[in-house]
């Protein structure tokens, strides 16, 4: 399996993709966000300079960065778990290895958002927060939004502890082997509660634990690399 593209659900002016495990895109603790080989890969995928990609240092919170060209001038990468922008030709990135990458596109206001949603961020309603920020900054309307869920660990494999029933009572199921969480379903239900039409949401339905083409922290532990999700609105 190669790079996963979402060019059937989004129109041609939206570039949306998730890498496979052929390259480890773990964000370095210091230095540039990409190695030379990663820059070449990203530049080739986007047909755009990798140096202009907006990166964030993910902390499993709910902070959303509003990306501008001036943001690129900052020396430090912000601690956040989501990015929104209406700047054309400005790519944004998140990194995952079981968490859900959530792609948001507003075709009316021509704005995009990309969110890293693990269970902690999902508990803090990071995806609804990103949409609320898009409403405030760009005038986005919930009925217009198109949303994609990238590969993540799924309810088939995501075994959790008893405490998760308190956090996600409607999305934790009991099986003979234990309790299992449907993380994409939690985010879908949060979007439904916010008023986003279900027909506007596309889930790729790929499990990172089952599918060895992807990194999985649950499967590999600290050895797991990271896939990169990239989103850009072409001018």
């Amino acid at each position: 399996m190669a790079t996963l593209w979402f060019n059937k659900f989004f129109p041609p002016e939206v570039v949306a993709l998730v890498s496979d495990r052929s390259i480890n895109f773990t964000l370095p603790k210091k230095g540039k966000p990409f190695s030379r080989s990663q820059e070449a890969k990203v530049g080739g995928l986007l047909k755009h300079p990798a140096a202009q990609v907006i990166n964030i240092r993910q902390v499993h919170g709910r902070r959303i960065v509003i990306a501008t060209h001036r943001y690129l001038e900052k020396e430090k990468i912000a601690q956040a778990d989501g990015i929104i922008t209406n700047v054309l030709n400005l790519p944004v990135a998140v990194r995952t290895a079981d968490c859900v990458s959530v792609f948001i596109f507003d075709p009316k206001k021509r704005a995009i958002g990309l969110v890293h949603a693990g269970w902690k961020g999902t508990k803090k309603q990071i995806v609804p927060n990103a949409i609320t920020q898009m409403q405030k900054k760009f005038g986005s309307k919930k009925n217009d939004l198109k949303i994609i869920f990238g590969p993540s660990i799924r309810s088939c494999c995501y075994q959790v502890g008893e405490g998760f029933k308190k956090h996600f009572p409607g999305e934790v199921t009991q099986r003979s082997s234990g309790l299992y969480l449907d993380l994409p379903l939690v985010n879908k239900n949060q979007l439904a509660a916010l008023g986003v039409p279900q027909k506007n949401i596309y889930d790729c339905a790929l499990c990172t634990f089952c599918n060895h083409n992807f990194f999985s922290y649950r499967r590999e532990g600290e050895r797991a690399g990271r896939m990169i999700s990239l989103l850009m609105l072409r001018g």
Side-chain angles (χ1 to χ4, degrees):
M1 182 175 182
T3 303
L4 182 64
W5 295 86
F6 297 117
N7 51 5
K8 290 185 178 180
F9 190 78
F10 282 165
E13 66 266 28
V14 181
V15 180
L17 62 95
V18 181
S19 67
D20 61 9
R21 65 178 297 128
S22 59
I23 298 181
N24 176 9
F25 279 101
T26 297
L27 185 67
K29 292 182 179 179
K30 294 181 179 179
K32 293 184 177 181
F34 299 118
S35 67
R36 287 187 178 181
S37 61
Q38 289 172 340
E39 282 187 347
K41 178 70 172 179
V42 169
L45 291 170
L46 294 174
K47 296 180 172 55
H48 195 80
Q52 293 185 17
V53 174
I54 301 292
N55 295 278
I56 50 176
R57 196 166 297 281
Q58 297 158 198
V59 292
H60 295 279
R62 72 191 301 267
R63 183 187 174 198
I64 305 296
V65 167
I66 302 166
T68 63
H69 282 298
R70 179 174 291 182
Y71 183 89
L72 288 169
E73 298 171 5
K74 294 184 178 181
E75 292 184 8
K76 292 185 178 180
I77 297 175
Q79 291 190 346
D81 287 271
I83 311 166
I84 61 173
T85 188
N86 64 349
V87 180
L88 301 180
N89 301 312
L90 186 64
V92 299
V94 299
R95 292 159 170 81
T96 59
D98 278 339
C99 299
V100 191
S101 54
V102 182
F103 301 76
I104 307 167
F105 171 52
D106 182 347
K108 296 287 181 66
K109 299 299 182 179
R110 291 184 61 76
I112 55 174
L114 185 57
V115 177
H116 160 252
W119 77 263
K120 291 179 181 178
T122 297
K123 178 175 173 284
K124 297 169 186 174
Q125 302 225 355
I126 186 170
V127 175
N129 185 39
I131 290 173
T132 299
Q133 294 300 319
M134 290 180 72
Q135 289 176 299
K136 290 179 180 178
K137 299 297 179 181
F138 312 133
S140 296
K141 295 181 179 179
K142 292 169 283 190
N143 286 344
D144 296 332
L145 299 177
K146 304 291 185 182
I147 297 171
I148 290 174
F149 290 173
S152 71
I153 194 167
R154 304 279 161 161
S155 59
C156 52
C157 301
Y158 197 4
Q159 189 169 8
V160 295
E162 191 74 22
F164 279 73
K165 289 198 294 186
K166 179 179 70 176
H167 302 318
F168 311 110
E171 298 88 11
V172 172
T173 56
Q174 177 79 56
R175 303 210 292 266
S176 59
S177 53
L179 298 172
Y180 291 81
L181 173 64
D182 192 331
L183 188 59
L185 180 61
V186 181
N187 284 279
K188 288 176 189 175
N189 289 343
Q190 289 179 355
L191 288 169
L194 195 65
V196 176
Q198 290 297 292
K199 64 181 177 63
N200 287 14
I201 302 171
Y202 171 77
D203 184 358
C204 76
L206 291 169
C207 177
T208 48
F209 189 95
C210 289
N211 192 325
H212 287 245
N213 290 306
F214 300 110
F215 293 113
S216 168
Y217 187 86
R218 176 62 64 98
R219 189 181 65 238
E220 302 169 75
E222 295 293 338
R223 295 180 293 107
R226 297 294 185 273
M227 289 88 69
I228 194 166
S229 296
L230 293 164
L231 181 63
M232 182 177 71
L233 186 59
R234 291 196 189 281

